[in-house]
């Protein structure tokens, strides 16, 4: 099925597929959407592999994933499912799993671009400039969006400090 | 720090995820299949043209066999005796996305997919960005034509089953008494401010335009552009003018009625400045 010309692409996917799937999941917040997002991004990359493979293809794929996630969210596919109009209700925090869900729900409830900033900055550990390049905005915008996102995450989790809650989870 | 804790939570949350072992195969197969289907479609259309058969509108708009509507079609081919024998027509799964999932260079961006934009507000240029998912496609315009810039106006077109989803969205707004009906020439529209995740904005004014049984369009203004337009009246006026000028280019009878340019003088103005700019 895979010819010699595809070897490099296959090796790339084998090496980075899982990492990219995780980015896709964090960008869109859903397992199945993440798989679809990744496949879409890889298909686009495959079609341009001759050009892309000479550079580092991973940023190229990541850019497609994040921007496609934002674009799809804007098409309401995700926003119809997620309670983005209002902060998520606070569940009863009985277990560590509950708490993690609270934070992940809060992350999903962020506007797509803010969510992308959080994923790129704090998951991918990209700098503000790199994040700005991927999202097609200024570094200042990245900074302000990150700040707003963190404020919303704190707010969504209620009066208690996020740091304290999370420390309890890992205690 | 919250940032560090977020990293930990995200790591925990995604630790279970693994790329499927057959991912590479699926990607390569899918990419090749798209190319093949596209080639098949071109061949089918060419063959239909040769024997003088009109492919039903439904076939060109449906996203797959399940969505096919319209009269049954048949390809006529000669049998061994030389007489014409109707053969069942196998509809290809159409439309397919473009191979690159975008439209490439659209020039001023006004003709994309199966629609044409007749009017855009002054000062806008094509953003050089587009997406083509087959039964849904989009492009946008902004001030500088920068691919990485923010959009001012974005138009989504949804066809076949995708159009049905758009109608359901409109109905949902109607049910909540959110938005208002609009008359766009001899067509109907629905004007509503959507919340589509625009950070820090007050929502995205959107005109849903009914372009016939198989097609819906959504014309959206970014919150940034809304601010620049200044008033709600200006926003609504510009949305309606764009909707009036948006027409189909594929001969779908329900969508090609060219609406007059709003205020009667925008065609010329638009022609002077590419993409309204």
């Amino acid at each position: 099925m895979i010819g010699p010309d595809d070897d490099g692409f296959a090796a790339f996917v084998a090496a980075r597929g899982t990492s990219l799937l995780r980015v896709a999941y964090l960008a869109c917040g859903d397992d199945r959407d993440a798989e679809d997002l990744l496949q879409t991004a890889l298909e686009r990359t495959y079609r341009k592999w001759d050009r892309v493979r000479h550079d580092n293809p991973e940023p190229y794929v990541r850019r497609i994933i994040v921007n496609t996630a934002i674009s799809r969210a804007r098409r309401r596919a995700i926003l119809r499912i997620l309670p983005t109009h209002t902060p998520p209700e606070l569940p009863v925090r009985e277990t560590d799993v509950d708490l993690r869900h609270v934070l992940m729900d809060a992350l999903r409830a962020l506007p797509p671009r803010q969510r992308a900033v959080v994923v790129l900055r704090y998951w991918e550990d990209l700098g503000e400039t790199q994040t700005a390049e991927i999202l097609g905005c200024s570094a200042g915008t990245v900074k302000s969006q990150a700040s707003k996102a963190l404020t919303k995450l704190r707010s969504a989790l209620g009066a208690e400090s996020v740091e304290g809650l999370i420390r309890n989870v890992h205690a | 720090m919250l940032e560090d804790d977020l990293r930990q939570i995200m790591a925990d949350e995604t630790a279970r995820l693994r790329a499927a072992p057959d991912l590479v195969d699926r990607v390569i197969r899918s990419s090749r299949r798209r190319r093949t289907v596209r080639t098949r479609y071109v061949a089918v259309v060419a063959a239909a043209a040769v024997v003088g058969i009109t492919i039903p509108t439904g076939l060109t708009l449906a996203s797959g066999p399940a969505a096919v509507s319209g009269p049954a079609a048949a390809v006529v081919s000669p049998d061994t005796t030389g007489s014409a024998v109707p053969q069942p027509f196998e509809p290809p799964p159409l439309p397919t996305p473009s191979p690159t999932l975008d439209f490439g260079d659209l020039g001023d961006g006004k003709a994309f997919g199966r629609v044409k934009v007749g009017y855009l507000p002054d000062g806008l240029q094509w953003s050089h960005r587009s997406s083509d998912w087959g039964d849904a496609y989009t492009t946008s315009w902004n001030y500088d034509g920068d691919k990485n810039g923010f959009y001012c106006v974005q138009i989504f077109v949804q066809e076949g089953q995708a159009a049905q989803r758009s109608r359901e969205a409109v109905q949902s707004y109607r049910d909540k008494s959110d938005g208002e009906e609009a008359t766009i020439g001899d067509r109907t529209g629905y004007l509503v401010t959507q919340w589509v995740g625009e950070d820090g904005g007050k929502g995205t004014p959107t005109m849903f335009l009914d372009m016939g049984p198989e097609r819906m369009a959504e014309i959206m203004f970014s919150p940034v552009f809304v601010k620049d337009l200044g008033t709600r009246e200006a926003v609504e006026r510009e949305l309606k003018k764009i909707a009036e000028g948006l027409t189909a280019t594929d001969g779908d009878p329900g969508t090609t009625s060219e609406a007059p340019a709003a205020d009667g003088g925008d065609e010329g103005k638009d022609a002077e400045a590419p993409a309204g700019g």
Side-chain angles (χ1 to χ4, degrees):
Chain A
M1 191 69 212
I2 294 176
D5 291 345
D6 300 323
D7 285 349
F9 179 75
F12 166 70
V13 175
R16 305 307 306 155
T18 293
S19 170
L20 291 165
L21 177 65
R22 291 171 179 174
V23 173
Y25 173 80
L26 293 169
C28 72
D30 179 87
D31 287 16
R32 289 183 61 183
D33 283 346
E35 286 178 6
D36 184 60
L37 204 52
L38 176 59
Q39 182 164 339
T40 299
L42 289 174
E43 283 175 20
R44 290 181 65 173
T45 305
Y46 176 69
R47 282 192 284 272
K48 296 188 176 177
W49 186 245
D50 280 348
R51 201 184 71 197
V52 174
R53 67 178 173 183
H54 298 300
D55 303 320
N56 181 2
E58 188 165 357
Y60 181 82
V61 182
R62 196 190 293 129
R63 180 193 297 258
I64 297 173
I65 288 172
V66 169
N67 285 303
T68 305
I70 293 172
S71 175
R72 287 183 181 183
R74 287 192 58 241
R75 293 178 69 224
R76 302 179 315 274
I78 294 169
L79 293 168
R80 276 179 185 154
I81 300 167
L82 300 174
T84 47
H85 291 81
T86 54
E89 292 178 10
L90 294 178
V92 179
R93 292 168 181 150
E94 293 179 345
T95 66
D96 295 356
V97 175
D98 283 339
L99 180 59
R100 189 150 55 227
H101 285 171
V102 172
L103 193 52
M104 283 309 295
D105 283 348
L107 183 62
R108 290 188 188 101
L110 291 176
R113 203 170 269 263
Q114 284 184 18
R115 187 166 63 229
V117 167
V118 170
V119 172
L120 293 173
R121 290 283 287 115
Y122 306 126
W123 173 250
E124 289 287 288
D125 277 330
L126 299 183
E128 288 168 354
T129 306
Q130 291 169 297
T131 303
E133 281 173 7
I134 287 179
L135 295 175
C137 62
S138 70
T141 300
V142 168
K143 198 171 198 165
S144 67
Q145 293 297 308
S147 171
K148 284 178 185 174
L150 294 179
T151 302
K152 283 182 185 173
L153 291 176
R154 284 193 178 92
S155 166
L157 284 167
E160 299 172 78
S161 80
V162 176
E163 292 89 338
L165 286 168
I166 295 172
R167 269 192 286 277
N168 288 341
V169 170
H170 296 290
Chain B
M1 283 180 66
L2 174 59
E3 293 87 334
D4 294 332
D5 294 328
L6 264 174
R7 286 187 187 98
Q8 185 60 51
I9 292 281
M10 289 192 281
D12 292 347
E13 184 70 14
T14 56
R16 66 196 161 81
L17 298 173
R18 294 280 183 282
D22 64 342
L23 179 60
V24 171
D25 278 344
R26 278 193 281 122
V27 167
I28 293 176
R29 266 202 311 269
S30 175
S31 298
R32 288 175 178 166
R33 190 166 57 238
R34 281 215 171 105
R35 272 202 293 265
T36 305
V37 166
R38 197 165 182 79
T39 306
R40 267 183 61 205
Y41 173 56
V42 171
V44 166
V45 171
V50 167
V51 296
I53 288 177
T54 303
I55 296 180
T57 302
L59 296 183
T60 59
L61 296 180
S63 60
V68 170
S69 61
V75 175
V76 179
S77 62
D79 66 4
T80 51
T81 65
S83 57
V85 177
Q87 303 288 322
F89 179 84
E90 269 194 48
L94 298 174
T96 54
S98 55
T100 54
L101 292 179
D102 62 33
F103 290 119
D105 185 1
L106 291 173
D108 64 6
K110 288 186 174 179
F112 65 105
R114 289 161 288 279
V115 299
K116 190 176 77 174
V117 177
Y119 168 80
L120 283 172
D122 284 342
L124 299 185
Q125 299 181 47
W126 182 49
S127 70
H128 294 84
R129 289 181 74 160
S130 66
S131 295
D132 176 21
W133 298 280
D135 61 354
Y137 47 91
T138 181
T139 194
S140 59
W141 296 263
N142 58 21
Y143 289 127
D144 54 8
D146 180 3
K147 187 174 186 175
N148 296 318
F150 200 60
Y151 81 101
C152 291
V153 175
Q154 180 149 11
I155 298 179
F156 285 96
V157 180
Q158 294 164 326
E159 299 173 345
Q161 288 186 330
Q164 185 53 35
R165 290 194 290 275
S166 186
R167 287 180 210 286
E168 288 167 6
V170 171
Q171 191 54 48
S172 167
Y173 285 123
R174 260 193 207 111
D175 292 343
K176 291 185 287 189
S177 300
D178 194 0
E180 57 192 65
E181 308 290 341
T183 300
I184 311 295
D186 58 356
R187 299 176 294 183
T188 59
Y190 197 80
L191 185 61
V192 64
T193 297
Q194 298 193 95
W195 196 94
V196 294
E198 304 292 3
D199 308 328
K202 291 182 178 174
T204 302
T206 302
M207 176 68 79
F208 285 87
L209 175 65
D210 192 329
M211 299 183 72
E214 295 285 352
R215 181 175 290 135
M216 290 285 288
E218 289 178 49
I219 304 158
M220 312 170 91
F221 284 178
S222 73
V224 172
F225 188 54
V226 168
K227 265 188 197 169
D228 293 345
L229 287 174
T231 63
R232 179 184 168 141
E233 290 72 25
V235 168
E236 293 186 8
R237 184 181 65 240
E238 293 299 312
L239 276 171
K240 282 184 179 174
K241 285 165 76 171
I242 296 172
E244 283 172 344
L246 186 64
T247 54
T249 56
D250 59 359
D252 184 350
T255 62
T256 49
S257 59
E258 190 88 32
D263 298 344
D266 293 295
E267 290 283 333
K269 187 167 62 175
D270 193 39
E272 289 170 11

